[in-house]
Structure formats: structure tokens, C-alpha cells
Amino acid sequence: MEQQLDHAAVRAAADRIAGSVRPVAVVPAAEGLWFALEYLQHTGSFKARGARNFLAAHRDAGTLPDAGVTIASGGNAGLACAWAARAQSVPATVFLPATAPRVKVERLRGYGADVRLVGDRYAEALAACEEFAAQSGALSSHAYDHPLIAAGAGTVLDEIRAGLPGLDTVVVAVGGGGLFAGVAAAAREHGVRVVAAEPENCRALNAALEAGRPVDVAVDSIAADSLGATRVSATALAAAQREGVRSVLVPDPAIAEARRALWEEHRIVVEAGAATALAAVRSAPEPLGERVAVVLCGANTDPADLTADLTA
């Protein structure tokens, strides 16, 4: 089974997940700007691509155990893992802190997951997940730091190119770096520039670039629920150090304004994390390219908080 991330890995992922994920729609948004509507993906985010590729690759290699898969995540990665496991007819055991919102627990159960609530912090849920994997033989999945997960996410880039001939720049939000690393691997093959957008106070990739290695960062942003990784993957850092990649930080008010603009101007409701990519475009002192695609990567959010923002 391949364990490296390059365009060949992304192409292999595309073959594995063909017919089981929704091809991304690319729509014009403004002069020189297009939206890639990946928030319409199964489970509400791009994470479905990586989860499906991860499990399908293990199934093909004969390494998908009867005990199924396990992950510690109450967010988009957990939902995607549970969805992909159901498609492979294997169990998904998802560990969450006992403080996890009930709506997340119920959504996971709706995908057939066995939800285990452990401790009050994510670290405790993660430790329980690791212990469960060791004892049960279940396959451990990760939210972003695995070549198969990133390669699956990267399949969106060639779909965007198919829908937008002449694409020169793609803008993606970065948390742990799975989407960015996969997209960058595919973009590099075609000479497409990548803009990696992060909140100013969730800057794991930007800080790693400064330090020359992955480092822990503080997490404090309205987009922290989906972009709040404390450390970026080494694979993402390596991708960001290549030519054709630009790291951009945006403040929370710009993210909130981009999210409001998506609703007011396009009737699109996305997570603050997804709006971070558009905020990078709107905040740029000059155009980022002539044919720019912004990946709107997830919509697992409560529209009520958008309404609250609008009426505040």
C-alpha cells in the first residue's frame, strides 16, 4: 500500500473513490473568482474523500480488520470516518469527550458509529481510542495526518481543474494540513499555485514555516472548531516549503465578514473554517491570480449563529 503523497497517490485515490463521492461543483462568483462547492460533499465536508480512500485502500490491501476502524474526533473527520465505515460494512468506533455536543453524538450515531464518551478533554478521548485500537485490533484513523487521507482530499483539485479550465490559483483553508497537502500534491503536477489560508490565531502551518519544523501553537479563533489543530503535519509543512505555495493569515473579523458575505451575496452557509479561504481572497492587497478557485470545504455549522451575527 502506498505511503507517500504525490500526484500518483492522488490519482490512485480518485480511482478508488470514483462513484462514491460527489464530484465538486465549480461556479462563478466574481470576476476572476470561482467557488468550489465542496461543502455539498457527503457528511458536509471534504473529509469524506480521505476517509473513503483510507478504508478502500485498506480493503484492497486486505488490511481492513473485522474490528473496523476507530478515530477520536467529534468533528468532520469523525463523521466522515463513520460514513466511510458504513459503506465498507465495518464497525466505526468514535471516541469523544463527555462534553461533546449532543448534536454531534447523534449525527455520528446516525451514521452507525459506536460512540464512546471518555473524559472531559480531547486528549483523554484520544488516549482511550489508542487503547481500544491496541486491544481490539481496530484500524486507527487520523483526522488529517496520513498520506491516504491527504491523497483522498487532494482529489478535489483535478475535479476543480476539469470544471475550470485555465485554473492558475487555488485557495484552501488549513487546519492540520490534510486538505492542503493533498491539493498541493496535485496542484504541483499542473503548475497551479496554492494559497494556504489560516486564522491569525490558528496558524499551525505558518508557524511551522517560520520555525522550519512543526511546532505547537495556541488555538483561539472563531474557526477553531474545524481549523484548530495545535500542530500541522510534517507532510503539509514539506508541501508548503515548495515553490508555488503562499501562506496567508487572516483575522477573525475578516473571516466573519466573509462568512456573512457568502450568505448575503450567494445564499451559501458554511463553517467559519471554509470562509477563511474566501477571507484570504477578500483581504489580499492585490488579486491572487487571474483564474482563482476558493475551496468552500465544509458546512457542518449552526446557521443560527450566522443569523445572530447578522442581527447583532
Side-chain angles (χ1 to χ4, degrees):
M1 185 186 308
E2 84 234 18
Q3 292 295 319
Q4 65 183 48
L5 179 62
D6 54 20
H7 191 238
V10 175
R11 287 200 309 268
D15 289 340
R16 284 193 201 97
I17 68 177
S20 61
V21 300
R22 295 170 180 153
V24 71
V26 182
V27 300
E31 183 67 30
L33 182 67
W34 285 258
F35 291 156
L37 308 183
E38 183 63 3
Y39 68 93
L40 297 175
Q41 189 53 259
H42 292 290
T43 76
S45 87
F46 74 94
K47 296 280 190 181
R49 294 174 180 268
R52 187 71 187 234
N53 185 51
F54 179 75
L55 291 186
H58 278 282
R59 172 74 80 189
D60 292 348
T63 53
L64 183 56
D66 291 339
V69 63
T70 186
I71 191 170
S73 169
N76 291 337
L79 291 168
C81 182
W83 170 79
R86 184 177 67 179
Q88 293 289 348
S89 299
V90 297
T93 307
V94 181
F95 287 81
L96 301 174
T99 52
R102 180 169 295 276
V103 64
K104 288 187 175 183
V105 173
E106 294 308 315
R107 284 200 68 194
L108 284 164
R109 287 176 175 155
Y111 283 121
D114 176 5
V115 181
R116 310 279 182 95
L117 302 176
V118 179
D120 295 324
R121 296 179 298 112
Y122 173 77
E124 294 172 277
L126 177 60
C129 178
E130 292 170 346
E131 182 180 358
F132 172 79
Q135 292 179 350
S136 69
L139 177 67
S140 288
S141 185
H142 195 280
Y144 57 86
D145 194 5
H146 192 284
L148 290 168
I149 297 290
T155 59
V156 74
L157 190 278
D158 281 335
E159 293 178 14
I160 294 171
R161 290 182 63 249
L164 178 54
L167 170 73
D168 60 64
T169 305
V170 62
V171 187
V172 297
V174 181
L179 175 62
F180 162 71
V183 165
R188 188 163 57 246
E189 180 76 9
H190 303 293
V192 174
R193 294 185 295 272
V194 183
V195 176
E198 296 175 283
E200 286 181 344
N201 295 320
C202 280
R203 52 185 293 266
L205 179 63
N206 186 267
L209 283 168
E210 281 188 359
R213 58 185 175 84
V215 292
D216 288 341
V217 297
V219 171
D220 181 17
S221 169
I222 59 172
D225 60 339
S226 56
L227 302 184
T230 56
R231 177 181 287 237
V232 78
S233 71
T235 304
L237 173 58
Q241 290 170 327
R242 290 178 175 264
E243 186 178 355
V245 175
R246 178 178 172 185
S247 172
V248 173
L249 299 178
V250 289
D252 273 12
I255 296 171
E257 181 54 35
R259 186 168 179 252
R260 283 194 294 268
L262 282 165
W263 169 245
E264 292 175 343
E265 299 171 17
H266 304 280
R267 286 303 186 254
I268 291 174
V269 179
V270 295
E271 302 166 17
T276 299
L278 179 59
V281 175
R282 290 164 57 94
S283 302
E286 56 189 31
L288 297 175
E290 293 183 0
R291 294 176 73 79
V292 179
V294 173
V295 181
L296 300 179
C297 56
N300 288 318
T301 187
D302 183 357
D305 61 14
L306 178 61
T307 304
D309 287 345
L310 291 169
T311 57

